[in-house]
Short mmCIF file of all heavy atoms in Angstrom, two decimals:
data_model
loop_
_atom_site.label_atom_id
_atom_site.label_comp_id
_atom_site.label_asym_id
_atom_site.label_seq_id
_atom_site.Cartn_x
_atom_site.Cartn_y
_atom_site.Cartn_z
N SER A 1 88.82 85.01 127.91
CA SER A 1 89.84 84.86 128.98
C SER A 1 90.13 83.34 129.11
O SER A 1 91.24 83.02 129.48
CB SER A 1 89.42 85.38 130.26
OG SER A 1 88.30 84.94 130.73
N GLY A 2 89.23 82.43 128.76
CA GLY A 2 89.57 80.96 128.87
C GLY A 2 90.58 80.51 127.80
O GLY A 2 91.16 79.48 127.97
N GLN A 3 90.56 81.32 126.77
CA GLN A 3 91.55 80.91 125.67
C GLN A 3 92.83 81.65 125.76
O GLN A 3 93.75 81.47 124.88
CB GLN A 3 90.93 81.26 124.29
CG GLN A 3 89.60 80.38 124.10
CD GLN A 3 88.75 81.01 122.99
OE1 GLN A 3 88.34 82.21 123.09
NE2 GLN A 3 88.44 80.19 122.00
N LEU A 4 92.96 82.59 126.67
CA LEU A 4 94.20 83.55 126.74
C LEU A 4 95.42 82.78 126.99
O LEU A 4 96.39 83.12 126.27
CB LEU A 4 93.89 84.55 127.83
CG LEU A 4 95.03 85.58 128.05
CD1 LEU A 4 95.31 86.40 126.67
CD2 LEU A 4 94.67 86.50 129.12
N ARG A 5 95.49 81.73 127.93
CA ARG A 5 96.72 81.11 128.17
C ARG A 5 97.36 80.46 126.97
O ARG A 5 98.53 80.56 126.67
CB ARG A 5 96.54 80.07 129.21
CG ARG A 5 97.81 79.50 129.79
CD ARG A 5 97.65 78.61 131.11
NE ARG A 5 97.08 79.20 132.19
CZ ARG A 5 97.56 80.03 133.03
NH1 ARG A 5 98.82 80.37 133.07
NH2 ARG A 5 96.92 80.42 134.12
N ASP A 6 96.42 79.81 126.14
CA ASP A 6 96.99 79.25 124.85
C ASP A 6 97.44 80.28 123.87
O ASP A 6 98.61 80.14 123.29
CB ASP A 6 95.88 78.50 124.10
CG ASP A 6 95.57 77.17 124.84
OD1 ASP A 6 96.26 76.66 125.63
OD2 ASP A 6 94.40 76.56 124.49
N ALA A 7 96.88 81.51 123.85
CA ALA A 7 97.35 82.57 123.04
C ALA A 7 98.67 83.01 123.50
O ALA A 7 99.59 83.21 122.66
CB ALA A 7 96.19 83.71 123.04
N LEU A 8 98.76 83.21 124.72
CA LEU A 8 100.08 83.77 125.30
C LEU A 8 101.13 82.72 125.12
O LEU A 8 102.33 83.12 124.90
CB LEU A 8 99.99 84.15 126.78
CG LEU A 8 98.99 85.31 126.94
CD1 LEU A 8 98.78 85.60 128.45
CD2 LEU A 8 99.39 86.64 126.22
N GLU A 9 100.84 81.45 125.26
CA GLU A 9 101.93 80.36 125.06
C GLU A 9 102.37 80.42 123.47
O GLU A 9 103.60 80.31 123.32
CB GLU A 9 101.40 79.06 125.41
CG GLU A 9 101.21 78.86 126.85
CD GLU A 9 100.68 77.59 127.33
OE1 GLU A 9 100.34 76.73 126.46
OE2 GLU A 9 100.42 77.42 128.56
N LEU A 10 101.39 80.64 122.57
CA LEU A 10 101.79 80.74 121.18
C LEU A 10 102.65 81.96 120.95
O LEU A 10 103.71 81.92 120.31
CB LEU A 10 100.48 80.92 120.35
CG LEU A 10 100.70 81.06 118.83
CD1 LEU A 10 99.56 80.46 118.11
CD2 LEU A 10 100.88 82.53 118.47
N ILE A 11 102.25 83.08 121.53
CA ILE A 11 103.05 84.40 121.49
C ILE A 11 104.49 84.11 121.93
O ILE A 11 105.37 84.49 121.24
CB ILE A 11 102.31 85.56 122.14
CG1 ILE A 11 100.94 85.87 121.39
CG2 ILE A 11 103.24 86.71 122.37
CD1 ILE A 11 100.04 86.72 122.16
N TRP A 12 104.53 83.54 123.14
CA TRP A 12 105.94 83.32 123.62
C TRP A 12 106.80 82.39 122.81
O TRP A 12 107.88 82.64 122.56
CB TRP A 12 105.76 82.84 125.05
CG TRP A 12 107.13 82.70 125.73
CD1 TRP A 12 107.62 81.45 126.36
CD2 TRP A 12 108.07 83.67 126.10
NE1 TRP A 12 108.80 81.77 126.86
CE2 TRP A 12 109.21 83.07 126.71
CE3 TRP A 12 108.19 85.00 125.84
CZ2 TRP A 12 110.26 83.66 127.16
CZ3 TRP A 12 109.35 85.68 126.21
CH2 TRP A 12 110.33 85.07 126.87
N GLU A 13 106.12 81.37 122.34
CA GLU A 13 106.87 80.38 121.48
C GLU A 13 107.42 81.09 120.12
O GLU A 13 108.54 80.94 119.76
CB GLU A 13 105.88 79.27 121.05
CG GLU A 13 106.46 78.21 120.10
CD GLU A 13 105.33 77.31 119.64
OE1 GLU A 13 104.64 76.81 120.52
OE2 GLU A 13 105.28 77.09 118.40
N VAL A 14 106.53 81.79 119.52
CA VAL A 14 106.80 82.48 118.28
C VAL A 14 107.92 83.59 118.49
O VAL A 14 108.79 83.78 117.83
CB VAL A 14 105.59 82.91 117.59
CG1 VAL A 14 106.05 83.75 116.21
CG2 VAL A 14 104.71 81.71 117.13
N PHE A 15 107.59 84.33 119.59
CA PHE A 15 108.57 85.35 119.98
C PHE A 15 110.03 84.78 120.12
O PHE A 15 110.96 85.37 119.59
CB PHE A 15 108.16 86.11 121.27
CG PHE A 15 109.17 87.05 121.76
CD1 PHE A 15 109.17 88.43 121.25
CD2 PHE A 15 110.06 86.69 122.69
CE1 PHE A 15 110.18 89.27 121.72
CE2 PHE A 15 111.15 87.63 123.17
CZ PHE A 15 111.04 88.92 122.66
N ASN A 16 110.16 83.68 120.85
CA ASN A 16 111.41 83.02 121.09
C ASN A 16 112.15 82.62 119.77
O ASN A 16 113.35 82.72 119.64
CB ASN A 16 111.28 81.87 122.17
CG ASN A 16 111.40 82.49 123.49
OD1 ASN A 16 112.27 83.19 123.87
ND2 ASN A 16 110.41 82.00 124.26
N GLU A 17 111.30 82.15 118.82
CA GLU A 17 111.89 81.57 117.58
C GLU A 17 112.24 82.79 116.67
O GLU A 17 113.29 82.64 116.10
CB GLU A 17 110.85 80.73 116.97
CG GLU A 17 111.27 80.01 115.77
CD GLU A 17 110.43 79.02 115.06
OE1 GLU A 17 109.30 78.73 115.72
OE2 GLU A 17 110.70 78.51 114.06
N TYR A 18 111.45 83.87 116.54
CA TYR A 18 111.61 84.81 115.58
C TYR A 18 112.15 86.20 116.00
O TYR A 18 112.77 86.89 115.23
CB TYR A 18 110.41 84.96 114.68
CG TYR A 18 110.10 83.67 113.91
CD1 TYR A 18 109.16 82.83 114.39
CD2 TYR A 18 110.77 83.40 112.66
CE1 TYR A 18 108.91 81.62 113.59
CE2 TYR A 18 110.48 82.32 112.06
CZ TYR A 18 109.53 81.48 112.46
OH TYR A 18 109.26 80.25 111.77
N GLU A 19 111.75 86.54 117.27
CA GLU A 19 112.08 87.87 117.73
C GLU A 19 113.25 87.93 118.65
O GLU A 19 114.16 88.79 118.57
CB GLU A 19 110.82 88.40 118.41
CG GLU A 19 109.54 88.37 117.71
CD GLU A 19 109.51 89.35 116.53
OE1 GLU A 19 110.37 90.35 116.46
OE2 GLU A 19 108.74 89.21 115.53
N ALA A 20 113.25 86.99 119.65
CA ALA A 20 114.34 87.04 120.66
C ALA A 20 115.66 87.05 120.14
O ALA A 20 116.57 87.78 120.75
CB ALA A 20 114.08 85.85 121.67
N PRO A 21 116.06 86.36 119.05
CA PRO A 21 117.44 86.45 118.50
C PRO A 21 117.87 87.93 118.24
O PRO A 21 119.09 88.24 118.24
CB PRO A 21 117.45 85.51 117.30
CG PRO A 21 116.29 84.57 117.57
CD PRO A 21 115.34 85.41 118.29
N ASP A 22 116.89 88.87 117.91
CA ASP A 22 117.29 90.23 117.55
C ASP A 22 117.15 91.17 118.83
O ASP A 22 117.50 92.33 118.72
CB ASP A 22 116.19 90.77 116.60
CG ASP A 22 116.47 90.15 115.23
OD1 ASP A 22 117.59 89.72 114.85
OD2 ASP A 22 115.43 89.91 114.43
N TYR A 23 117.00 90.60 119.93
CA TYR A 23 116.84 91.47 121.20
C TYR A 23 117.88 91.16 122.13
O TYR A 23 118.44 89.97 122.33
CB TYR A 23 115.41 91.08 121.87
CG TYR A 23 114.25 91.76 121.21
CD1 TYR A 23 113.85 91.25 120.00
CD2 TYR A 23 113.67 92.85 121.67
CE1 TYR A 23 112.78 91.79 119.30
CE2 TYR A 23 112.50 93.43 121.03
CZ TYR A 23 112.16 92.88 119.81
OH TYR A 23 111.07 93.50 119.15
N GLU A 24 118.25 92.05 122.98
CA GLU A 24 119.11 91.88 124.07
C GLU A 24 118.31 91.21 125.20
O GLU A 24 117.08 91.23 125.28
CB GLU A 24 119.83 93.27 124.46
CG GLU A 24 118.90 94.24 124.89
CD GLU A 24 119.59 95.60 125.01
OE1 GLU A 24 120.27 96.00 124.10
OE2 GLU A 24 119.28 96.28 126.02
N GLU A 25 119.02 90.76 126.26
CA GLU A 25 118.43 90.10 127.36
C GLU A 25 117.31 90.91 127.96
O GLU A 25 116.18 90.38 128.33
CB GLU A 25 119.41 89.67 128.42
CG GLU A 25 118.75 88.87 129.53
CD GLU A 25 119.88 88.49 130.54
OE1 GLU A 25 121.05 88.56 130.31
OE2 GLU A 25 119.35 88.00 131.58
N MET A 26 117.59 92.19 128.15
CA MET A 26 116.61 93.11 128.76
C MET A 26 115.30 93.13 127.93
O MET A 26 114.20 93.26 128.52
CB MET A 26 117.27 94.47 129.01
CG MET A 26 116.21 95.51 129.61
SD MET A 26 116.97 97.19 129.53
CE MET A 26 115.80 98.03 130.44
N GLY A 27 115.38 93.15 126.61
CA GLY A 27 114.23 93.21 125.75
C GLY A 27 113.35 91.96 125.88
O GLY A 27 112.09 92.01 125.87
N VAL A 28 113.96 90.77 125.98
CA VAL A 28 113.38 89.53 126.11
C VAL A 28 112.66 89.57 127.44
O VAL A 28 111.44 89.25 127.51
CB VAL A 28 114.30 88.38 126.04
CG1 VAL A 28 113.65 87.00 126.33
CG2 VAL A 28 114.94 88.27 124.64
N LYS A 29 113.25 89.98 128.57
CA LYS A 29 112.53 90.04 129.86
C LYS A 29 111.49 91.00 129.87
O LYS A 29 110.38 90.77 130.48
CB LYS A 29 113.63 90.30 130.97
CG LYS A 29 114.57 89.21 131.24
CD LYS A 29 115.52 89.56 132.32
CE LYS A 29 116.38 88.28 132.57
NZ LYS A 29 117.33 88.49 133.67
N THR A 30 111.58 92.26 129.15
CA THR A 30 110.55 93.20 129.18
C THR A 30 109.35 92.59 128.41
O THR A 30 108.20 92.71 128.93
CB THR A 30 111.00 94.49 128.32
OG1 THR A 30 112.09 95.12 129.10
CG2 THR A 30 109.87 95.48 128.18
N PHE A 31 109.58 91.92 127.32
CA PHE A 31 108.50 91.21 126.55
C PHE A 31 107.79 90.23 127.37
O PHE A 31 106.52 90.12 127.47
CB PHE A 31 108.99 90.71 125.25
CG PHE A 31 107.77 90.14 124.38
CD1 PHE A 31 106.92 91.08 123.62
CD2 PHE A 31 107.48 88.85 124.31
CE1 PHE A 31 105.98 90.64 122.95
CE2 PHE A 31 106.46 88.43 123.52
CZ PHE A 31 105.63 89.35 122.84
N GLN A 32 108.58 89.42 128.05
CA GLN A 32 108.04 88.32 128.90
C GLN A 32 107.17 88.89 130.04
O GLN A 32 106.05 88.37 130.26
CB GLN A 32 109.14 87.51 129.41
CG GLN A 32 108.67 86.27 130.22
CD GLN A 32 109.74 85.42 130.78
OE1 GLN A 32 110.94 85.88 130.94
NE2 GLN A 32 109.53 84.03 130.86
N HIS A 33 107.58 89.89 130.58
CA HIS A 33 106.84 90.63 131.65
C HIS A 33 105.57 91.21 131.11
O HIS A 33 104.44 91.14 131.58
CB HIS A 33 107.61 91.71 132.28
CG HIS A 33 106.89 92.55 133.29
ND1 HIS A 33 106.59 92.04 134.51
CD2 HIS A 33 106.35 93.77 133.24
CE1 HIS A 33 105.93 92.88 135.20
NE2 HIS A 33 105.76 93.96 134.45
N PHE A 34 105.59 91.78 129.74
CA PHE A 34 104.44 92.40 129.21
C PHE A 34 103.30 91.37 129.05
O PHE A 34 102.14 91.62 129.15
CB PHE A 34 104.78 93.01 127.89
CG PHE A 34 103.60 93.56 127.04
CD1 PHE A 34 102.90 94.63 127.59
CD2 PHE A 34 103.20 92.95 125.91
CE1 PHE A 34 101.84 95.19 126.89
CE2 PHE A 34 102.14 93.45 125.19
CZ PHE A 34 101.39 94.51 125.63
N ILE A 35 103.67 90.08 128.62
CA ILE A 35 102.76 89.09 128.33
C ILE A 35 102.34 88.20 129.44
O ILE A 35 101.75 87.03 129.29
CB ILE A 35 103.09 88.31 127.01
CG1 ILE A 35 104.29 87.34 127.15
CG2 ILE A 35 103.17 89.08 125.75
CD1 ILE A 35 104.56 86.40 126.27
N GLU A 36 102.71 88.60 130.66
CA GLU A 36 102.32 87.72 131.89
C GLU A 36 100.92 87.52 131.99
O GLU A 36 100.14 88.46 131.76
CB GLU A 36 102.97 88.43 133.05
CG GLU A 36 102.93 87.78 134.38
CD GLU A 36 101.64 87.81 135.11
OE1 GLU A 36 100.92 88.81 135.11
OE2 GLU A 36 101.12 86.79 135.64
N PHE A 37 100.55 86.31 132.19
CA PHE A 37 98.97 85.89 132.11
C PHE A 37 98.11 86.81 132.95
O PHE A 37 97.09 87.22 132.40
CB PHE A 37 98.97 84.46 132.55
CG PHE A 37 97.55 83.91 132.50
CD1 PHE A 37 96.84 83.70 131.43
CD2 PHE A 37 96.91 83.80 133.83
CE1 PHE A 37 95.55 83.31 131.40
CE2 PHE A 37 95.61 83.39 133.88
CZ PHE A 37 94.89 83.09 132.71
N HIS A 38 98.40 86.89 134.23
CA HIS A 38 97.50 87.56 135.14
C HIS A 38 97.24 89.03 134.69
O HIS A 38 96.14 89.56 134.67
CB HIS A 38 97.79 87.50 136.51
CG HIS A 38 97.84 86.03 137.03
ND1 HIS A 38 96.62 85.44 137.25
CD2 HIS A 38 98.84 85.15 137.32
CE1 HIS A 38 96.82 84.10 137.65
NE2 HIS A 38 98.18 84.02 137.60
N SER A 39 98.37 89.68 134.35
CA SER A 39 98.28 91.11 133.84
C SER A 39 97.53 91.17 132.60
O SER A 39 96.64 92.04 132.37
CB SER A 39 99.67 91.64 133.64
OG SER A 39 99.63 92.84 132.95
N MET A 40 97.77 90.27 131.66
CA MET A 40 97.10 90.31 130.29
C MET A 40 95.59 89.96 130.50
O MET A 40 94.74 90.48 129.85
CB MET A 40 97.79 89.34 129.36
CG MET A 40 97.61 89.66 127.96
SD MET A 40 97.92 91.30 127.32
CE MET A 40 99.70 91.47 127.53
N LYS A 41 95.31 89.06 131.38
CA LYS A 41 93.96 88.66 131.63
C LYS A 41 93.15 89.80 132.21
O LYS A 41 91.93 90.09 131.70
CB LYS A 41 93.76 87.51 132.66
CG LYS A 41 92.44 87.00 132.88
CD LYS A 41 92.36 85.81 133.79
CE LYS A 41 90.95 85.32 134.00
NZ LYS A 41 90.81 84.32 135.07
N GLU A 42 93.74 90.56 133.11
CA GLU A 42 93.14 91.80 133.62
C GLU A 42 92.84 92.79 132.53
O GLU A 42 91.85 93.40 132.40
CB GLU A 42 94.04 92.45 134.76
CG GLU A 42 93.42 93.50 135.48
CD GLU A 42 94.41 94.00 136.61
OE1 GLU A 42 94.55 93.18 137.61
OE2 GLU A 42 94.91 95.09 136.53
N LYS A 43 93.82 93.00 131.65
CA LYS A 43 93.67 93.97 130.53
C LYS A 43 92.63 93.45 129.52
O LYS A 43 91.85 94.30 129.12
CB LYS A 43 95.03 94.13 129.73
CG LYS A 43 96.06 94.92 130.55
CD LYS A 43 97.44 94.84 129.83
CE LYS A 43 98.47 95.60 130.67
NZ LYS A 43 99.72 95.64 130.09
N MET A 44 92.54 92.16 129.34
CA MET A 44 91.50 91.68 128.49
C MET A 44 90.08 91.82 129.07
O MET A 44 89.26 92.26 128.49
CB MET A 44 91.71 90.13 128.27
CG MET A 44 90.75 89.53 127.22
SD MET A 44 91.25 87.71 127.19
CE MET A 44 91.04 87.52 125.41
N GLU A 45 89.97 91.55 130.33
CA GLU A 45 88.66 91.64 131.03
C GLU A 45 88.24 93.06 131.21
O GLU A 45 87.02 93.38 131.14
CB GLU A 45 88.67 90.82 132.38
CG GLU A 45 88.76 89.37 132.13
CD GLU A 45 88.94 88.64 133.48
OE1 GLU A 45 89.29 89.16 134.50
OE2 GLU A 45 88.81 87.29 133.33
#
């Protein structure tokens, strides 16, 4: 969990570069919500 924030930042960066252009605004927001740090930390733990 101490490395999670860096992982999620990488995911968001790469998503924005390669995935977001193929998604509508709702999809980008859905993905951003899915990778929210506290939620993902809870899932990891």
Side-chain angles (χ1 to χ4, degrees):
S1 58
Q3 297 163 304
L4 181 61
R5 193 172 301 278
D6 286 343
L8 295 175
E9 287 173 3
L10 177 150
I11 290 166
W12 182 242
E13 173 189 313
V14 175
F15 174 85
N16 276 308
E17 185 173 354
Y18 294 96
E19 308 288 345
D22 290 329
Y23 285 73
E24 57 193 49
E25 184 179 348
M26 180 183 184
V28 173
K29 288 182 179 183
T30 298
F31 186 80
Q32 186 176 27
H33 178 74
F34 176 69
I35 64 166
E36 190 275 324
F37 175 75
H38 295 289
S39 171
M40 205 49 72
K41 183 177 179 189
E42 188 175 292
K43 289 176 183 177
M44 184 184 221
E45 290 175 347

